[in-house]
Every structure is written in C-alpha cells, then in structure tokens.
Amino acid sequence: MNMKLFGAAVFALATLLVNPTWAQETAEVDRSSTGGAQTLEDIMARQQQMKVDESFRSENLGTPDKAPAISEPLGTRGGVSDADTWRGIRYNDSDITTQARSPAADVLIQDGGMPWYKLREGPVLTYGGLALLGIIALLTVFYFVRGRIKIDGGPAGTTIERFKAIERFGHWLLAGSFIALGLTGLITLMGRSFLIPVMGPDAFATLAAGSKWLHNNVAWAFMLGLVMTFVMWVAHNIPNKLDWQWLKAGGGIFTKSHPPAKKFNAGQKIIFWTVMILGFSVSLSGLSLLFPFEMPMFAKTFGVMNSILGTDFPTVLAPHEEMQYANIWHSIVAFVMMVAIIAHIYIGSVGMEGAFDAMGNGQVDVEWARQHHDLWVAEVEAKQAKGEST
C-alpha cells in the first residue's frame, strides 16, 4: 500500500475517533419523513451543542408562487403556514408591525441569550478569575524572592513634593472608584457561583441589588477621575528614548540598577496608558449598558472593522445583541485592568519602600526621588534655584 495513502487514512481515522462530532456534523440528514421539517436527530444535535445546518429552516419561509387558491386551505395566507411565519420571525425575514413604540418592540425572537450566558459564566468567569488569582500568586512569589525594593543607603530625612493635592485627589478618586467598581462587578459576575452557597439566596439578592446600584452610580466618579488624571499627567507620559533604557534595565525592579527617569518612568507610563485606553473603553461599554437604546456601539464598530480589516462581523444588531456584546467586552476589559492595577498597587505599597508617600501626603524622601526619578529631581531643584535667585 502507498505509505502516503496509508498515513492519510490513519490520520482521518484518528481525527474521527478523537472528534467524532465532525463526522456527525457533516452527515446528511434524511428529512423526507417530516416533509422537510426538523427531525429528532436535529433536535438532539442542537441540545448536544453540535453544529446543525439551519438552511432547511431559514430558507423555507413560504413560497407565494406555490400558494393555493383562496378557496383552498391556507389560500388566504398566500401559501404561508404558521410554522413558516414563525421561521420568518426566527430568521429576521418578516415585516413586523407593532403598536408598542419601544426600540426592541419588533424583536420577537432573539436567541443570543444562551450563547452569551455560557460565554459569561464559562470562559469569562473562569479565565478572568484565574488571571486575578494568578497575578496575586505571582506577586507573592516575587515578593519573597526579590523582597522589598529598599532606598539605597537609607532615607535622607528630607523630602520633596511629588504630587500636589489636586493630583492626589484625582488619583484617589480614580483608584477608589475603580476598586468599588471591581468589587461590585465581581459580586455581580461571580456571586451566584460563590456567594449564594455561603450566604443564601435572600442575603445575596440584597447584596446583588446594592452592588448593582453602587456600580452604576460610582461609574460617574470613575469617569471623572479618568478625565482629571489624563489632563494632569498626559504631558508627563509621552514616550521618549529614556523609556527604552529603563525597560532594558528592568527599571531596577529585577536588578539593583536604577536607570534615569523623569517624573514618570516607563513602567508608570505603561500603567498610565493602560488605564487611560482601557478605562475609556470600559466606560464606553458601561454607558452602552446603561443606555442601550441611546448608545449602541458594536454595530458601528463592526462596520468600521469590516471596512478596514475585510472581516464579516454583523452590522445589524438587535438591542439585546448590543447589550450582550457590551457586557462581554465590559467584563473582559475590566479583568485586564484589574490585573494591571493589582500589580500597580503592589509596587506602590509593599513592593517599594517610600513609594506610597507620593500619593499619601505628596512628599517623598529626596534619596528615594533621586534613586527612581533623578532627572525629575534635577529639574525641580533647578527651578527652585532659579526662583530663589530671582
């Protein structure tokens, strides 16, 4: 036997054994006994999450050319049965009129709920939770291996102003609101799985309702803090050639070296732009969820992506679909932000000696400042000298 043919046969057999659903999905289904309607095999395959070719339903919506005479059964309906009508509604091929005037009133069937729910309760919850646990575990190991980053030679005992009161207010407004949003969001997403078994459904219902109210209202503080910090710090976070040198040296986090930096080093710039870009995105998706009929965002976004990337994302979405996409995107972006912020909190607290003072009272030890932001210290001292001389 030709070895190539033998190898191909073995591969095909192994593929079917490992994934027998392939064979089932591509098999032709005999629907002659049901007159072309779905069979028990179709129903069972759909329940088992197997792919089913729906064209036998979506393309069978009634044929006016074959309509019986008015005197015959179904003649007044133009050859369309009740089943044809509901299939037309199911596949968005019906002209729906309704007395209700809400934006979603003409959507009678929308089957995206279960895929959205399974994605939300499955991969989003699982991988998002693992990411949070993973970064906490990684930082714990890093702390015991690297230890706290100390001030070389100890504190100088004199301080220099790092951040003004308005800057600290903007930072804590953003940070505090994000922590509240993160906790209430996790309660909403994971509470059914982890809290109901502990506290019971009645207590959780009260907690969930309070979390939803808090989440929706604290969001405005988060967006205000986002705008404030962007306006105050964007000029200091423009990338420059010093950032590459800082990154190559590991910022003094992994080694004892302390590369030169201005007011914000490359690591802080990465955090800044991560928070700004993802914070803007999570705010947009949050507003879309708060005002789903006024601020749909995915149909237009998909249209732009299709025109640029040549993709084929859907550009006509029901309000329900817009909310489903917005909810999934909101959750994913929030998890990425939480991972980044946890790392930021570590460095700004237990990970580095003297770092918390910058946002605590705004004053940092001069030796700490020279160690981590030497070029910024030189600029401040030059301005002070110039002010004293004038």
Side-chain angles (χ1 to χ4, degrees):
M1 179 185 292
N2 188 300
M3 292 303 295
K4 290 184 177 180
L5 292 177
F6 177 75
V10 171
F11 175 77
L13 179 61
T15 300
L16 292 178
L17 289 174
V18 172
N19 193 354
T21 58
W22 288 12
Q24 298 174 20
E25 290 173 6
T26 57
E28 292 291 335
V29 179
D30 181 12
R31 300 188 179 89
S32 58
S33 61
T34 60
Q38 64 178 339
T39 65
L40 178 61
E41 287 77 9
D42 294 323
I43 297 173
M44 296 299 292
R46 194 176 295 110
Q47 290 178 346
Q48 297 172 17
Q49 301 298 307
M50 294 171 57
K51 184 178 180 181
V52 177
D53 184 1
E54 297 280 355
S55 60
F56 76 95
R57 302 172 68 199
S58 62
E59 297 174 2
N60 186 20
L61 307 179
T63 307
D65 296 339
K66 297 180 180 180
I70 294 178
S71 59
E72 297 182 18
L74 298 178
T76 56
R77 292 179 57 78
V80 180
S81 67
D82 285 342
D84 295 330
T85 300
W86 284 107
R87 275 197 295 271
I89 294 172
R90 164 69 177 77
Y91 294 104
N92 298 320
D93 196 37
S94 292
D95 184 15
I96 304 298
T97 58
T98 175
Q99 292 180 331
R101 292 295 179 263
S102 63
D106 59 350
V107 181
L108 302 186
I109 297 177
Q110 197 275 319
D111 66 347
M114 286 310 298
W116 161 79
Y117 179 76
K118 290 179 179 179
L119 180 60
R120 178 181 181 271
E121 297 297 308
V124 173
L125 189 153
T126 302
Y127 294 119
L130 288 175
L132 295 181
L133 293 176
I135 189 64
I136 293 172
L138 184 64
L139 291 173
T140 301
V141 172
F142 181 78
Y143 177 80
F144 285 106
V145 173
R146 173 66 172 84
R148 196 178 196 196
I149 301 174
K150 299 286 188 177
I151 299 175
D152 293 343
T158 56
T159 61
I160 183 174
E161 185 180 54
R162 176 83 171 134
F163 293 112
K164 299 182 183 298
I166 186 64
E167 293 177 292
R168 301 198 305 277
F169 173 79
H171 171 272
W172 287 116
L173 179 66
L174 182 63
S177 59
F178 180 78
I179 291 172
L181 291 171
L183 291 175
T184 54
L186 290 175
I187 290 172
T188 303
L189 179 64
M190 300 181 172
R192 286 179 175 271
S193 300
F194 297 99
L195 295 180
I196 288 182
V198 176
M199 61 194 309
D202 294 336
F204 175 74
T206 303
L207 177 63
S211 296
K212 180 181 181 298
W213 182 89
L214 192 64
H215 195 91
N216 292 346
N217 288 280
V218 171
W220 304 108
F222 173 80
M223 287 183 276
L224 176 60
L226 195 70
V227 172
M228 288 183 64
T229 52
F230 178 82
V231 171
M232 291 186 295
W233 292 337
V234 64
H236 298 288
N237 281 277
I238 304 301
N240 56 52
K241 60 183 180 181
L242 289 174
D243 299 329
W244 176 238
Q245 302 300 323
W246 190 94
L247 291 172
K248 286 196 300 182
I253 297 175
F254 303 98
T255 64
K256 296 295 184 180
S257 62
H258 300 291
K262 293 188 177 182
K263 185 166 185 175
F264 290 93
N265 58 43
Q268 292 168 322
K269 290 180 181 180
I270 291 173
I271 290 293
F272 175 84
W273 288 111
T274 297
V275 171
M276 291 300 119
I277 295 172
L278 297 186
F280 178 72
S281 181
V282 82
S283 297
L284 284 181
S285 58
L287 289 171
S288 183
L289 289 169
L290 286 172
F291 309 103
F293 303 140
E294 292 79 9
M295 294 188 64
M297 58 180 286
F298 278 90
K300 293 181 180 179
T301 302
F302 287 160
V304 174
M305 292 174 63
N306 291 343
S307 63
I308 296 176
L309 304 177
T311 49
D312 190 28
F313 291 110
T315 56
V316 179
L317 299 173
H320 316 72
E321 294 172 300
E322 284 281 358
M323 287 187 282
Q324 288 157 4
Y325 278 115
N327 178 266
I328 293 299
W329 181 253
H330 193 77
S331 301
I332 292 172
V333 174
F335 272 121
V336 176
M337 287 187 70
M338 283 189 279
V339 169
I341 295 304
I342 288 173
H344 175 63
I345 292 173
Y346 167 79
I347 290 296
S349 56
V350 299
M352 180 181 291
E353 181 185 9
F356 182 80
D357 294 336
M359 281 300 168
N361 55 29
Q363 301 288 328
V364 294
D365 188 85
V366 171
E367 192 58 36
W368 178 92
R370 288 199 179 98
Q371 183 172 310
H372 299 288
H373 301 276
D374 56 339
L375 299 180
W376 169 73
V377 174
E379 291 177 357
V380 172
E381 291 177 341
K383 290 179 181 179
Q384 290 176 345
K386 184 177 179 181
E388 291 173 358
S389 61
T390 56

